[in-house]
Every structure is written in C-alpha cells, then in structure tokens.
Amino acid sequence: MPSTTAGEPVPIETSHEDMIHDAQLDYYGKRLATCSSDRTVKVFDVVDGETQRSSGHTLKGHTGPVWQIAWAHPKFGQILASCSYDGKVIIWKEQPAQGPGTGGWTKIKEHTLHKASVNSVSWAPHELGAILACASSDGTISVLTFKNDGTWGADVFEGHAIGCNAVSWAPAVQPGSLIAPQTNNTVPGQQPPAVQSVKRFASAGCDNLVKIWVFRDDTQTWDEEAVLEGHADWVRDVAWAPNIGLPRSYIATASQDKTVLIWTKDTPTAPWVKIALDPSASGTVSPAGAAPAPAGKFPDVVWRVSWSLAGNILAVSCGDGKVTLWKESLKGIWECVSDVTS
C-alpha cells in the first residue's frame, strides 16, 4: 500500500460480511477490534497504522448483530467485551501461546441477564478494578465485577423506562484533586494515603434523559445521583471526558434530535449546566442541495460522541457521514476545528 501523509484516512479491509458497527483500538493502539451485523468480532494487529492481513482473528459466539466492543486495561490481560442484539455480553480473553498452534481468543464469561438487545458496554477506569457496565433495550443497566476469587458479580437495576442506549464512566480522578491543598500528615518514609475513588457513570436513554449513577459503599447499591434533561428525542450516546484533576467535569451527549449537548459541572456541589454545539456558527457545510440546519442543530441524527485522551477535543459522528472535531475556546465557546468526510 502506498505510504499516506498524516491526516489522510487509511481504508482497512476487515472481511466482515455485513455492516460494521464499532471499531476500537486497544490501549497501546497496536490492535484493532471490529464488530458487525455478521455476528462476529474481528481482531487485527496494527503496524505503522496499517492492519496486518495475516494476523486477523475472528471471534464467534453471538447469534445477532454485535453493536459494540470495549478493550479492558492491559493490566488485566488482553481482554475484550462485546455486546449484541442477542441480549448477551461476552468477555473474551487472549490466551498466550505455550507452543506452536496454541493460544488464541477464548470466551471467559457469557452474561445473559438481559432480556433484550445489549447496546453498549464500557469498562470502568482500571483503578476501580475489572468492572463492566452494560446498557440494554430492556430498560436495565448491569454492572459486572470481576472478583478476587475468579467469579463475576452482577448488579442489575432499572435505568431508563423504554431502553438504554449507552454508558460512559466518570474518571477515577476526583475533580479538583490536582489543585486541592495537600494535607501533609504523612509520616516520612510511609506511603501517602490513597485518594478515595468513586464509582460513577452516566447512561443515555430512549426516555430522552441522561442519568448519573453512583455506587454507595454503605448500602452496596447503585443510586441515581442526577438526571440531565435537555434532549427532545432518544439520547444515542454519552461520553464523560477524561480529567487530570481539574475542578470542572464535562459530559457530551448525542441525540436523535440532531443536537449535541455539553454538560459542565464546576464543583462537586454545583449543578450540571448545558450548552449546545452550534454547527451553523462554525461554518460546517450542509450536504449539497440540503437546507441549512437550524442553529444548534446538526444536518442529521448524531450517533456517537468521543473525547480525545486529554479530554480537550470532542469528536462528533453524524448521520450525514461526517465526523467533526470540537474544542472549547478561551472564552468558553465550543468551536468546530476540523471536519472529516467519510
């Protein structure tokens, strides 16, 4: 394949036999996993930005379209979770080869507690342990926890009345911890006390709502901490921005109503405040012949939102085939800094 310049898209042949719904690079960007309506998950090695044809693995186990995949942190091993229309979540692990012809991907857990399609899976920050949140069309959310004795625990609770479309974990770093005054009560030579992490995630529903859930250690239950109202149709995706310990928290939500909302929270006790991305103000062009989208609206349904690793750039995937990148200016206005047409 001819070498490509930076920024030029590289097509990848996956050999899937139907529509691809998700593609995820692992922690190191060395492996690419894809999933499809052909009921399979495929894993490829990536070298110099290109997938290797000889290295592909096909993971078979689902009986319906596979909607989403998620890599666990490498400290737990080479582990991949997949969710499907068949109502199952499968956790796959790559076993290291002991000799020629051995090794490969095996199913280590099949989660069948949902009664309808499972639409989204998301691993918690690795500091919290091997924990997986799953969102289903049956209206429930489940949280799978890998325990020290090798078993999996499952909490299942009602999330959204008509169905749940996506889940996204809050960072393990507490907001504001970077600039909080350090209490220097540690004895010299001893480890400083560990920062208390909180298990918290956001879910997006068919009831037009985004909900924030927090785990209470005293009752060992998941409680609804906040409800974010602002969309006029199904919320298709939610993404909680990474945080290095600055006070402000960011959540992005994408909806069937053709809008993307950015929710911000300045302090742990402050309310969530929303602002809509405005493609019309940023000069993004509507498709040829189409009427310009009204202010604050994208030209089509917005399917996915995803933050950069540093949490300062947001990628928005729209039904018109475009991916736009957004950044907050020093004045607090969100501006489109790039758009990529697929």
Side-chain angles (χ1 to χ4, degrees):
M1 187 183 283
S3 62
T4 53
T5 56
E8 198 176 315
V10 181
I12 292 168
E13 175 51 61
T14 63
S15 301
H16 277 298
E17 294 166 9
D18 207 332
M19 187 183 291
I20 297 168
H21 296 292
D22 197 15
Q24 295 288 340
L25 286 165
D26 73 351
Y27 180 83
Y28 298 113
K30 296 290 188 190
R31 307 189 94 176
L32 174 72
T34 59
C35 63
S36 162
S37 279
D38 67 8
R39 308 190 296 279
T40 67
V41 174
K42 290 181 186 269
V43 181
F44 305 90
D45 290 336
V46 179
V47 179
D48 296 331
E50 296 182 13
T51 56
Q52 305 301 294
R53 288 297 298 269
S54 59
S55 64
H57 299 272
T58 301
L59 283 46
K60 295 179 179 177
H62 286 293
T63 55
V66 186
W67 300 131
Q68 209 172 39
I69 41 185
W71 291 94
H73 190 274
K75 81 176 191 185
F76 303 115
Q78 288 288 318
I79 291 179
L80 189 61
S82 59
C83 63
S84 166
Y85 181 77
D86 63 12
K88 288 192 292 198
V89 174
I90 297 177
I91 297 173
W92 312 83
K93 182 170 187 178
E94 187 179 39
Q95 308 296 347
Q98 303 298 328
T102 64
W105 289 87
T106 56
K107 201 186 291 186
I108 58 168
K109 171 71 179 170
E110 194 168 295
H111 168 44
T112 54
L113 293 177
H114 289 291
K115 303 180 191 73
S117 173
V118 183
N119 303 315
S120 178
V121 281
S122 176
W123 291 98
H126 66 91
E127 297 93 332
L128 303 176
I131 304 174
L132 183 73
C134 316
S136 172
S137 291
D138 64 10
T140 65
I141 296 165
S142 62
V143 180
L144 295 180
T145 306
F146 186 68
K147 299 183 176 172
N148 292 334
D149 61 2
T151 62
W152 291 84
D155 294 313
V156 184
F157 52 94
E158 287 294 328
H160 296 267
I162 332 170
C164 189
N165 295 318
V167 278
S168 178
W169 287 84
V173 181
Q174 288 282 52
S177 60
L178 186 68
I179 57 172
Q182 301 296 316
T183 51
N184 205 5
N185 301 334
T186 53
V187 178
Q190 281 191 354
Q191 289 282 85
V195 177
Q196 185 62 39
S197 295
V198 178
K199 296 174 188 169
R200 181 181 278 116
F201 67 86
S203 63
C206 301
D207 52 6
N208 310 352
L209 301 175
V210 173
K211 295 185 179 182
I212 295 176
W213 307 89
V214 64
F215 187 74
R216 288 187 50 182
D217 287 315
D218 52 351
T219 59
Q220 294 289 296
T221 57
W222 288 93
D223 286 4
E224 187 183 286
E225 184 181 61
V227 178
L228 310 184
E229 296 184 48
H231 286 294
D233 207 334
W234 288 17
V235 187
R236 285 290 179 185
D237 199 18
V238 58
W240 203 309
N243 189 328
I244 55 167
L246 296 173
R248 183 178 282 186
S249 297
Y250 290 87
I251 293 175
T253 56
S255 171
Q256 193 81 17
D257 64 12
K258 304 182 182 180
T259 67
V260 172
L261 297 180
I262 308 286
W263 306 81
T264 54
K265 185 173 178 167
D266 289 332
T267 65
T269 52
W272 287 96
V273 177
K274 68 178 182 286
I275 182 168
L277 297 188
D278 188 2
S280 62
S282 63
T284 51
V285 183
S286 292
K297 295 254 185 183
F298 282 77
D300 208 327
V301 172
V302 189
W303 287 96
R304 296 287 278 273
V305 279
S306 176
W307 293 97
S308 64
L309 218 50
N312 60 339
I313 293 177
L314 179 71
V316 175
S317 175
C318 184
D320 63 356
K322 272 194 177 179
V323 175
T324 48
L325 303 182
W326 296 77
K327 196 170 185 178
E328 188 178 20
S329 70
L330 294 173
K331 295 176 182 173
I333 297 163
W334 286 86
E335 298 168 342
C336 180
V337 292
S338 170
D339 69 50
V340 183
T341 307
S342 61

